[in-house]
Amino acid sequence: MGPGRFGAVLCAMATPFDADGRLDLDGAATLARHLIESGNDGLVVTGTTGESPVLSDEEKMDLWRAVRDAVSVPVIAGTSTADTAHSVKLTRAASAAEVDGILAVTPYYSRPSQAGIEAHVRAIAGASDLPVILYDIPVRTGRKVAEATILRLVADGAIVGVKDAAANPAGSAALVAAAPSSFELYSGNDSDTLPLLAVGAVGVISVESHWAASEVGEMVSAFWKGDVERARTANARLLDSHRFQSSDEAPNPVPTKAMLRVLGLPGGQCRPPMGPPPDGLDQRARQVLSQLHG
């Protein structure tokens, strides 16, 4: 295996806000450039880590344009909501902003059937000529996308791959084995990246690559070179970083925003309902960095 069409390490980029909670477009451009300079191959904007549910359509469009103008690497736009028609509208807007791909999360809260999920993704795919990555994250959406559904979408060209946050490597292995060679599986959880590389993942859409892009890249590269022991060592060094990313007290992206503050990068606080951050989170971020780079 090797990297996918968008690269091996893609950052699920946080959305910076200013002290008053307004969208910080200059900060977004600064953060985007920093993420690429630190080792990311591409960026996913307005995903879960980007707090997409609390961004207006206009803010999303402004953010896509600002990031697209700031970097020359692939930019993938999260355009999917719980409303199919709204998702189609956002996908068309993202295409006009000249992004390179679409991330389509399955509809959340309403828990549609497999037929409903499939129709939702097909509508998004039909709204532009951009390649679509399906985002399968049942812990947040309430629905697992069935293997048969994914394979139909791949066979018809509706999607080119999946961001896999289902936390089931055995199921991922079965999916990769059944899919055509053009299919691309991206790890959707940093803690699952090494196991998913072992079953055919082409990379990761990462949260921790905000602060550990080079370490994640080292692990991926070592695995593909056949140096499994080095990859295991790199993954072990990242375990504390994995644990830091999300918890009941500080769900993603609250810890990411804390890390950005510690690193002196644009970020600000999360908009409600995420947060406020628990006491000691910034200190915990410093500990993670110290352990990682010590």
Side-chain angles (χ1 to χ4, degrees), residues 10-16 23 25 28-29 31-32 35-36 42-52 55 59-68 71 73-80 94 99-104 163 205 210:
L10 312 178
C11 187
M13 182 177 145
T15 298
L23 181 63
L25 291 174
L31 178 59
L35 292 172
I36 300 310
L43 303 172
V44 175
V45 185
T46 64
T48 306
T49 307
E51 298 178 72
S52 59
L55 295 172
E59 286 175 325
K60 290 177 181 178
M61 295 174 200
D62 288 345
L63 191 56
W64 296 331
R65 286 190 289 264
V67 174
R68 174 70 290 163
V71 298
V73 300
V75 175
I76 300 170
T79 62
S80 188
V99 301
D100 300 284
I102 299 297
L103 183 70
K163 178 185 178 185
I205 297 176
H210 282 87

Side-chain angles (χ1 to χ4, degrees), residues 179-205:
S181 59
S182 60
F183 173 76
E184 296 184 337
L185 185 88
Y186 293 85
S187 172
N189 291 323
D190 281 301
S191 57
D192 292 338
T193 299
L194 185 54
L196 290 183
L197 288 172
V199 301
V202 300
V204 56
I205 297 176

Side-chain angles (χ1 to χ4, degrees), residues 95-283:
S95 180
E98 300 184 348
V99 301
D100 300 284
I102 299 297
L103 183 70
V105 70
T106 54
Y108 37 86
Y109 184 75
S110 55
R111 301 183 77 245
S113 66
Q114 292 297 314
I117 292 171
E118 186 171 343
H120 176 83
V121 176
R122 289 189 185 280
I124 291 170
S128 82
D129 294 327
L130 294 171
V132 176
I133 297 173
L134 172 64
Y135 186 10
D136 187 17
I137 181 166
V139 70
R140 285 184 182 262
T141 65
R143 279 282 192 241
K144 172 74 182 77
V145 187
E147 178 183 305
T149 303
I150 294 172
L151 292 175
R152 283 194 300 272
L153 291 166
V154 173
D156 295 345
I159 63 172
V160 299
V162 170
K163 178 185 178 185
D164 185 346
N168 179 12
S172 304
L175 173 62
V176 171
S181 59
S182 60
F183 173 76
E184 296 184 337
L185 185 88
Y186 293 85
S187 172
N189 291 323
D190 281 301
S191 57
D192 292 338
T193 299
L194 185 54
L196 290 183
L197 288 172
V199 301
V202 300
V204 56
I205 297 176
S206 172
V207 173
E208 69 189 0
S209 66
H210 282 87
W211 59 87
S214 62
E215 289 83 358
V216 175
E218 176 190 350
M219 178 185 69
V220 173
S221 177
F223 183 86
W224 282 335
K225 290 176 181 176
D227 192 345
V228 177
E229 190 58 38
R230 182 178 162 209
R232 287 178 57 196
T233 299
N235 184 67
R237 197 163 62 247
L238 288 162
L239 292 177
D240 201 33
S241 176
H242 297 164
R243 289 188 287 265
F244 172 73
Q245 292 177 37
S246 193
S247 67
D248 286 345
E249 296 76 23
N252 177 48
V254 175
T256 298
K257 289 290 183 79
M259 189 66 80
L260 292 177
R261 289 193 294 273
V262 166
L263 291 170
L265 292 167
Q269 299 287 347
C270 291
R271 284 179 174 173
M274 303 306 288
D279 291 343
L281 188 62
D282 288 21
Q283 179 57 32

